């Protein structure tokens, strides 16, 4: 850390960590509703409300992490202090307030009702304002020195794309099919577009700093990776346009392009491993290294392999909208984006706190807990999904009867989720110890 | 590979994909009004869509295969249920179709229910390229959806009792086979009003003939 304003990241990470913990609480509640039919919360916190909160918290804590990371990285790339610290703090508070309002609103039954985009329209406008303040602050910082490094260019590009895509999810349309058509411009072009750019840039920055490999090398591969991400991912949106009232040529276009999506993710794995092998600096922050390498691998399995498994229309026709999708959603979001943020937090925190040497055992333990139990969660939902696909879709058994046959796997999932939660608790303890500046 | 070659991959990769995507998007938007029968999308349907969103039904149910995986997909629900059934169900799910996993009573207004039915009916007409697909193994289905399972799945037990289990709105069916034959029972399922014009039993005309057959077999066998 070189610039004072990089410390802005700290508060962002604190909020992110707290929301992450809360997300898992709601996850455990949702899991219980699958395992036991009797639901004491049926009229207080029904499944839909809990799910809205669970997935909103996910997206919001990841965004807080991305923002904190950006405030940390941009000063070093642009070689100057952040344009306005006040704006950065104001933006944090505004976003947190909107978040709290949204969640309170869901509990009281105030919803816009599209998955991930349940925020009522006024709040969405608030979110747009937050995004504008953030982008303005970052852009003005970059304009102070105009050092257009590839890393910061890609980071900015990803952030602008992230904010821009959100606009396609703000407006109500009478036609459900058209609404979902645009909805995927938000959801898919986020996770398989904008967020990959942001992840690529942040990961490139961290690898460069952790391993000491050349910038030229890192930036060249960054270009190739995001080039392939967008080449495959943009038309790849078509893997969501098979069955929603859209023309059937998407089966060809979506199937072909999305089948190539694992390629750039594989490149990222190779890139990460090569940087570590050819490192020029001694790696002291082993927790961050663990998360970085783990992230590359889990990103590949969760998004690349699990995504590929059901992306071809011949398969997706049977698995669409089953627990197979849920298995992939958990695995990919965790492997790619939760892990990226955890890497970032472990990379940044010791530097902000000036800890050259800190105790790493709990951090590493939480890493193994989260990764292995998430793998178990993804596997148990995958088995549940295979049972569902076979009984319900291939044999034609009705939905609710099929669910009975999946109970065992929901139970395995839920028990694994407790293991995962234990890892999160360890992380939180470790994180707040670091945040207090204790080595 | 050099930095500028990397940059070229990025620029061309993005541009080519974006152009293809935008062209296909344009064409899709041209075709979708017809594929989704937009001509039938009236004010009720639009109001129903908003009702669907306002109550966040989508975070329990999938529709077009998207959403929560906790409850049945409702894309084609109007192919297997009729208006009267869905209307009654939405007013009080537990009474019409009691299941171990519950849908809460959302206390919908009559107008909201009517709009939702209009909405689901319109969604049912969307051309989804054949999704959800017809089950692959037709023979296995017969053995799996026995009459007893159809009885359970259709929620007959909300009103009827068999062997002491079920509701009291309709007559006990434990020995119905001794009183009614199979043909009579089939008619009762398809059109209760043909036997009793004041019948409050919902009709199930959209059940497949196979399901009606096995259901009637099952009931006729109860003596
Ligand atoms: C890190 C990146 C990714 C994340 C975070 C992610 C997350 C998700 C989520 C949350 C869904 C469910 C959306 C919903 O219906 O509510 C989904 C669906 C899907 N994803 Fe991904 N995904 C990623 C990458 C990929 C990749 C690379 C592929 C293909 C190679 C892929 C293929 C699919 C497919 C085919 C579906 C639709 C499933 C269905 O038909 O129900 N995903 N993804
Ligand atoms: Fe996708």
């Amino acid at each position: 850390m070189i610039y004072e304003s990089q410390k802005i990241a700290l508060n962002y990470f604190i909020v992110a960590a707290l929301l992450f913990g809360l997300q898992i609480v709601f996850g455990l509640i949702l899991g219980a509703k699958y395992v036991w039919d009797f639901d004491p919360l049926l009229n207080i916190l029904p499944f839909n409300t809990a799910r809205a909160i669970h997935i909103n918290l996910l997206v919001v804590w990841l965004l807080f992490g991305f923002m904190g990371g950006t405030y940390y990285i941009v000063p070093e790339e642009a070689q100057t202090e952040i344009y306005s610290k006040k704006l950065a703090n104001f933006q944090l508070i505004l976003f947190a307030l909107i978040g709290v309002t949204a969640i309170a609103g869901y509990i009281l039954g105030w919803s816009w009702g599209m998955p991930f985009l349940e925020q009522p329209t006024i709040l969405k406008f608030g979110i747009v304002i937050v995004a504008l303040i953030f982008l303005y602050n970052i852009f003005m910082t970059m304009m102070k020195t105009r050092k257009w490094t590839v890393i910061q260019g890609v980071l900015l590009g990803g952030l602008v794309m992230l904010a821009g895509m959100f606009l396609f999810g703000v407006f109500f349309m009478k036609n459900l099919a058209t609404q979902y058509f645009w909805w995927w411009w938000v959801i898919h072009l986020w996770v398989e577009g904008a967020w990959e750019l942001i992840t690529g840039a942040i990961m490139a920055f961290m690898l460069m700093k952790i391993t000491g490999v050349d910038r030229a090398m890192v930036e060249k591969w960054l270009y190739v990776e995001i080039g392939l991400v967008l080449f495959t991912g943009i038309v790849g949106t078509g893997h969501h346009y098979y069955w929603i009232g859209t023309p059937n040529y998407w089966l060809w276009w979506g199937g072909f392009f999305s089948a190539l999506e694992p390629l750039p993710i594989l490149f990222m794995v190779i890139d990460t491993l090569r940087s570590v092998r050819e490192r020029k600096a001694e790696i002291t922050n082993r927790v961050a290294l663990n998360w970085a390498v783990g992230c590359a691998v889990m990103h590949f399995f969760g998004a690349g392999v699990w995504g590929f498994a059901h992306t071809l229309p011949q398969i997706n026709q049977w698995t669409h909208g089953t627990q197979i999708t849920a298995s992939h959603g958990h695995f990919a979001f965790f492997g790619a984006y939760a892990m990226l943020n955890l890497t970032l937090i472990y990379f940044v925190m010791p530097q902000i706190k000036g800890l050259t040497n800190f105790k790493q055992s709990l951090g590493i333990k939480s890493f193994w807990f989260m990764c292995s139990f998430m793998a178990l969660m993804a596997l148990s939902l995958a088995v549940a999904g295979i049972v569902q696909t076979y009984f319900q879709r291939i044999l034609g058994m009705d939905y609710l009867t099929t669910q009975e046959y999946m109970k065992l796997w929901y139970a395995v999932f839920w028990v694994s989720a407790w293991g995962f939660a234990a890892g999160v608790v360890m992380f939180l303890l470790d994180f707040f110890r670091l945040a207090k500046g204790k080595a | 590979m050099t930095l500028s070659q990397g940059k070229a991959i990025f620029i061309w990769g993005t541009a080519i994909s974006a152009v293809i995507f935008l062209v296909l998007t344009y064409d899709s938007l041209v075709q979708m009004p017809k594929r989704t029968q937009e001509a039938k999308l009236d004010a009720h349907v639009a109001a129903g869509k908003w009702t669907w969103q306002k109550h966040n039904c989508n975070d329990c149910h999938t529709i077009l295969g998207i959403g929560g995986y906790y409850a049945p997909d409702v894309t084609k629900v109007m192919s297997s249920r009729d208006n009267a059934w869905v209307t009654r169900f939405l007013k009080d799910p537990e009474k019409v179709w009691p299941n171990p996993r519950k849908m809460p009573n959302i206390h919908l207004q009559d107008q909201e229910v009517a709009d939702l039915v209009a909405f689901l009916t319109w969604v049912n007409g969307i051309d989804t390229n054949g999704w959800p697909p017809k089950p692959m193994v037709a023979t296995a289905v017969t053995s799996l959806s026995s009459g007893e399972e159809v009885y359970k799945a259709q929620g007959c037990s909300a009103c009827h009792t068999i062997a002491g289990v079920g509701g009291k709105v309709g007559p006990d069916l434990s020995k119905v086979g001794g009183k009614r034959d199979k043909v009579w029972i089939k008619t009762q399922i398809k059109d209760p009003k043909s036997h009793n014009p004041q019948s409050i039993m919902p009709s199930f005309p959209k059940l497949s003939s196979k399901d009606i057959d096995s259901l009637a077999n099952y009931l006729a066998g109860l003596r």
Side-chain angles (χ1 to χ4, degrees), chain B residues 122-180:
Chain B
W122 173 80
V123 169
N124 188 52
I126 296 178
D127 178 353
T128 56
N129 289 328
W131 189 88
K134 293 244 168 327
M136 224 191 265
V137 195
T139 46
V141 175
T142 349
S143 62
L144 276 166
S145 57
S146 67
E148 196 176 347
E149 275 164 11
V150 178
Y151 181 86
K152 260 203 280 177
Q154 296 302 323
C156 313
S157 64
C159 302
H160 293 287
T161 314
I162 291 182
V165 183
K168 303 249 173 305
V169 181
D172 188 322
L173 297 181
S174 308
K175 296 196 158 65
V176 68
K179 190 163 87 176
R180 313 287 190 191

Side-chain angles (χ1 to χ4, degrees), chain B residues 41-219:
Chain B
L41 202 170
D42 60 15
H44 286 293
V45 175
K49 174 169 179 285
W50 175 239
T51 309
W52 168 261
Q53 284 183 229
K54 190 172 73 180
H55 295 288
N56 198 19
C57 314
N58 215 165
D59 266 322
C60 278
H61 288 277
T62 50
I63 191 162
L64 298 173
I66 308 166
Y69 313 106
Y70 184 73
D73 188 273
V74 293
T75 313
K76 297 290 173 192
V77 69
M78 297 313 287
S79 296
S80 55
R81 309 275 194 198
D82 58 15
N83 294 8
W85 190 94
V86 175
T87 303
R88 279 207 239 177
F89 175 79
L90 290 177
K91 287 293 276 183
D92 191 349
E94 181 65 7
K95 216 158 118 199
V96 176
W97 194 25
N99 276 297
R101 190 184 287 175
K102 310 266 177 245
M103 168 161 160
N105 185 340
I106 301 174
H107 304 291
L108 298 161
Q109 309 293 310
D110 287 343
Q111 187 58 50
E112 289 184 309
V113 172
D115 291 342
L116 277 169
V117 171
F119 169 65
L120 291 172
T121 306
W122 173 80
V123 169
N124 188 52
I126 296 178
D127 178 353
T128 56
N129 289 328
W131 189 88
K134 293 244 168 327
M136 224 191 265
V137 195
T139 46
V141 175
T142 349
S143 62
L144 276 166
S145 57
S146 67
E148 196 176 347
E149 275 164 11
V150 178
Y151 181 86
K152 260 203 280 177
Q154 296 302 323
C156 313
S157 64
C159 302
H160 293 287
T161 314
I162 291 182
V165 183
K168 303 249 173 305
V169 181
D172 188 322
L173 297 181
S174 308
K175 296 196 158 65
V176 68
K179 190 163 87 176
R180 313 287 190 191
D181 65 13
K182 188 178 157 190
V183 177
W184 191 94
I185 293 175
K186 272 184 159 176
T187 318
Q188 174 74 15
I189 296 168
K190 279 189 277 197
D191 184 12
K193 288 205 166 58
S194 66
H195 293 143
N196 168 11
Q198 266 83 49
S199 178
I200 59 150
M201 173 169 152
S203 56
F204 296 83
K206 287 187 182 173
L207 281 180
S208 70
S209 53
K210 194 181 84 277
D211 279 354
I212 294 186
D213 202 58
S214 46
L215 182 55
N217 259 336
Y218 163 66
L219 293 174

Side-chain angles (χ1 to χ4, degrees), chain A residues 34 37 48 51 112-113 118 173 175 179-180 220 231 235 242 246 249-250 317 320 394-395 399 403, chain B residues 1 17 27-28 35-36 38 49 53 56 58-59 64 69-71 100-101 122 129 131 136-137 141:
Chain A
Y34 271 110
D37 286 321
N48 55 341
R51 183 180 193 258
W112 195 69
E118 294 93 344
M173 281 152 221
N175 187 324
Q179 183 96 56
Y180 265 123
K220 176 178 79 184
F231 177 70
V235 182
Y242 300 154
T246 28
Y249 50 67
W250 286 109
Q317 167 180 37
H320 179 51
I394 297 187
L395 298 186
Y399 173 92
Q403 293 294 314
Chain B
M1 173 145 16
S17 199
D27 184 72
S28 296
R35 294 183 55 100
T36 60
E38 227 168 49
K49 174 169 179 285
Q53 284 183 229
N56 198 19
N58 215 165
D59 266 322
L64 298 173
Y69 313 106
Y70 184 73
R101 190 184 287 175
W122 173 80
N129 289 328
W131 189 88
M136 224 191 265
V137 195
V141 175

